[in-house]
Amino acid sequence: MAGVRFFWGAFLSLFLVGVIVALPGAALPYWREAFGAGQEVSWFFAALLLGLLLGIRLAQGERRHPLFPWALLLLAGALWGLALAPSFSWVVVLAFFLGLGEGVMNVHGNSLVGELFPERRVELVNRVNVGFGLGAVFTPLALTLLPYAAFLFLGGLLALLAALLVWGAPGVKSPPRGRGAGLLPFLLAVALYTGLEGALATWNRVWLESLGYATATGGLLLSLYWLFLALGRLFLAGLVAQRPLLALRGLLLLVLLLLLLNFFPPTALLFPLAGFFLGPLFSTLFALVQARFGHRALGGLLYAGAAGSTLIPALFALLPLKGVPLGLLALALGLFLLVRGLAEDG
């Protein structure tokens, strides 16, 4: 029963990671209206990133209890603080603590499940990551239905519940020796994956608008993209678990096909389906790195993910608009070649 409790605590913690990731975009209209925030929003992201990097570093150690529940309690306080923040300067300060909690929660929310269920690691790490996708989808929707402060207080209560669920979680197990391919190709694959995921979410909407589609259409398709990411983790988890790297190679071929269709106006509307086939990528790579290289390697994996998700979408800003679909296709091709090499290495 303790394993089930810890699984759902990890699920809820990753749901909250999704909330943190989606919060800036969803809350920006409120920040502009309440605080007149403009270019100052860049300070929010800088503080969030600093907290995230520190949180990942702290989570690389062998102590999980009480670090994991404390991170959730810290998140609860930060969310409640955001609801009461009198100025945007306080929002920036609290962003550091959001990132700190996110880093710890992302590492331990995934690694705890992988250690509790090693024989079903790939499948269950994918399933627990459905929580992340649901949190990312839930946040913008909830902020259209609830007042800003009410949403943040609800988020704090969920963080408190998650802290209670993971209280007493076992410590990190001793790391195994690496086998098969080295760690570097996995790090590169995660960086390319998070870069592709982020670039699709950030720039493909702009590409659709250049093809003549309405802004509202792009927003709807973006929501569907995040939803399909979650559904891919849910429905493809069992299939991918049988032969992980070979399955990922096949899924990436389908992603490449969809990104080729992205060049043409009628079929560009199919881009959210790429999220379905990309869904299992991160969770599966995380589970394989945990099995092959142990817990300490997971910090490097998440650093690679943080770098890819921030730097690669930023580089897309340097491309001409017509280069967006080509850049996305090149990223997916590079990721496919890396995964194919890992699959051949075994």
Side-chain angles (χ1 to χ4, degrees), residues 68-79:
F68 191 14
W70 279 357
L72 284 156
L73 292 173
L74 177 67
L75 175 64
L79 290 172

